[in-house]
Amino acid sequence: MSAVAAVAADPSVRSPLPVLGRDVAVPLVTGGEVTYAALDQAASAPALQRVWDDVAAYAPYYGSVHRGAGYLSQLSTDLFENVRRTVAEFLDCRADDQLVFTRSTTDSLNLLAAALPDGCEVFVFETEHHAALLPWQRAGRVTFLDAPDSPAQAVETLERALAARDPHGPALVCVTGASNVTGELWPVRELAAAAHAHGARIVLDAAQLAPHRAVSVRALDVDWVAFSGHKLYAPFGSGVLAGRADWLRDAEPYLAGGGASRTVTRRADGGVDVRWHETAARHEAGSPNVIGAYAIASACKALTEAGFDALAAREEALVRAVREGLADVPEVRFLSLFGDDAPRVGVLSFVVDGWNSSHFAAALSAEYGIGVRDGLFCAHPLVRRLLGGDTGGTGECGAPEAGALNAIRVSVGVGTPEEHVARFVRAVRELVRDGARWSYRTVDGRCVPDTSGRP
C-alpha cells in the first residue's frame, strides 16, 4: 500500500477540526470544477469552523473596549481581558508576563524592536523570515549569523557570537521555532539556555510553531514569544507579543493615542504632559481589535482540546505521505537545512528539475485546483542558500532554467483532507512525467494560464 493510500485508509489521520472553505469549488482551465485543495497554510490558514461560529455568535454584542459605560461596551471589555488570559494560558506564560495584542507577528517583532533598551545588540540567524530578520536594524547593532547545518551547530554558532560580545550591555537573540521554508524545528530551549548563559534575552518567532506544536514560554525558557492569528486558524487581523514586562514598560508606547495614555494635561507653557499606562495597554493605542483577539482565543481553546500530540501525529503522517509519494521521482528535490529526517511541522519546500517553479505552481492551480506557494517565501537569504546560488533573475514563465529561480512550498494544517495530499502527489507525478496540458505566460511577474486560445 502506498503512503498516500495508507493515510487515506487510516481513520486516525482524518481531520479532527473542520475549517471554512473545505467545500469551495474552483474552475479548472482544462474544463470543469474541483474542490479547492488549500496547501499553502504556512502563508495563511483558513478559519476553524469553531472560530467562525464563536465570532459570529459574539458579533451582535460587539462594543467599544475600555471606552463605554453601556452594557455591550462592558461585555466587550470583559471579553477582551478574558481572552488575554486565555491566550496567556495557551502560551504557558509566567505570572508577571505581559501579553500585548498586535496586528501580526511582523507587528509584534517591530514593537519589541522599538522597545529595545539603548545599546542593545541583536543576534539573528540569516535563516529567519523577514519579519524576524529586518526589524532590528532600526533599533541598534545587529549580528547576522550564518545558517547552521544542524541544531547543534546552531547552538554552537550562537554561543561563539555571544561570547565575543560586550558582556555588560543588553542583548537579544531572535529565533524561529519552525522554519517557514523547510518546516524544520529549531532547538529553542537550547538556544535560550545559551542566550541566558551569556546575559542575553531571547524572543521566539512562533508564527509557524504555534499552529502545530504546544508552545510553553516557561518550558522553553524564552523571554518573549510572537505569533499571528492568521496562521493559527483565526484570520481576523490580530497577533500576539507575550513575555517580560520590563522592556515593554520602560519603552515609549509603540503608538501614541487613546488607550495607551492614563492622563493628558496641559502645561502652563501651552504644551501637554502625558502619563502612559504601564500595562499591556501602553502598546495597544486605539480601539482594540476585540474580534481578532477573541478569534485567537477561540483557536487556542480548539487546538488545546484537540490535543497537540494527536494533531502532530496526523500532520507527520501527511508529510510522510508527500515525501514517500514522491521519493521515486528524481526530478523533485526537497530543501532542508538539517537533513531529510529532521523533525518538522507540516511545511515542505522543493524544486523540480527542468521547471520554473512559478510555472509548476501555476499548473498545479490551473489544472488541478491545488494552491501552493512559489517564490522565496519572505526568507530570501535562506532560500538562496538552499538553492545554492543567486536567485535574482526573473526568467520567463515555462522556460526551464539552469538553476531554479525560486522554490515551491506545500504546507498542511489541521483541516487538510487526505484527498488533497493524494491529489497533490498525483499532480506532481503527472506534471513531471507528462508536462503541463496548457500553455502559460508571464503577466505582471506572475505565471498565468494563456487564455487567448487552446494550448
Side-chain angles (χ1 to χ4, degrees), residues 64-240:
S64 60
V65 173
H66 293 304
R67 284 167 173 78
Y71 179 80
L72 296 189
S73 291
Q74 295 299 308
L75 185 150
S76 293
T77 297
D78 289 344
L79 178 73
F80 187 66
E81 295 306 331
N82 283 332
V83 301
R84 196 191 303 275
R85 287 187 284 272
T86 297
V87 179
E89 290 172 2
F90 175 76
L91 295 172
D92 192 25
C93 289
R94 297 164 289 256
D96 57 350
D97 283 341
Q98 281 190 1
L99 189 144
V100 181
F101 284 112
T102 66
R103 293 175 296 176
S104 60
T105 306
T106 301
D107 199 35
S108 296
L109 294 174
N110 274 272
L111 189 165
L112 185 59
L116 295 182
D118 290 343
C120 188
E121 183 174 3
V122 179
F123 297 82
V124 57
F125 285 94
E126 66 173 340
T127 50
E128 295 293 323
H129 186 282
H130 294 170
L133 188 73
L134 303 180
W136 319 109
Q137 297 183 83
R138 301 176 181 175
R141 190 167 43 147
V142 185
T143 298
F144 295 103
L145 306 175
D146 292 340
D149 293 327
S150 68
Q153 189 180 83
V155 177
E156 294 169 3
T157 298
L158 179 62
E159 286 181 332
R160 282 197 304 271
L162 291 173
R165 81 176 188 93
D166 177 358
H168 303 295
L172 178 71
V173 175
C174 180
V175 68
T176 187
S179 171
N180 76 301
V181 176
T182 67
E184 291 164 310
L185 296 171
W186 277 63
V188 177
R189 185 182 292 107
E190 292 81 0
L191 291 167
H196 294 153
H198 291 276
R201 294 188 178 189
I202 185 168
V203 56
L204 169 64
D205 172 1
Q208 297 295 339
L209 185 64
H212 304 280
R213 300 290 190 276
V215 175
S216 169
V217 168
R218 285 193 261 203
L220 295 173
D221 198 21
V222 294
D223 298 284
W224 292 277
V225 60
F227 71 90
S228 296
H230 74 96
K231 297 186 191 295
L232 196 80
Y233 314 102
F236 292 88
S238 278
V240 168

Side-chain angles (χ1 to χ4, degrees), residues 15 17 19 41 51 56 73 77 79 95 120 237 253 280 295 339 352 354 401 411-412 427 453:
S15 172
L17 292 172
V19 297
Q41 305 208 12
V51 170
S73 291
T77 297
L79 178 73
C120 188
V352 182
E401 304 292 335
S411 50
V412 300

Side-chain angles (χ1 to χ4, degrees), residues 49-66:
Q49 183 67 54
R50 171 169 166 177
V51 170
W52 179 258
D53 292 343
D54 284 348
V55 167
Y58 162 67
Y61 300 93
Y62 171 80
S64 60
V65 173
H66 293 304

Side-chain angles (χ1 to χ4, degrees), residues 219-288:
L220 295 173
D221 198 21
V222 294
D223 298 284
W224 292 277
V225 60
F227 71 90
S228 296
H230 74 96
K231 297 186 191 295
L232 196 80
Y233 314 102
F236 292 88
S238 278
V240 168
L241 176 68
R244 305 286 183 192
D246 52 352
W247 286 9
L248 300 176
R249 187 175 55 242
D250 294 341
E252 288 294 307
Y254 185 47
L255 297 174
S261 56
R262 288 177 61 92
T263 62
V264 181
T265 57
R266 289 294 300 274
R267 297 194 304 265
D269 64 4
V272 296
D273 286 324
V274 185
R275 289 181 58 216
W276 303 104
H277 279 291
E278 294 187 354
T279 63
R282 185 183 189 89
H283 300 291
E284 292 177 342
S287 294

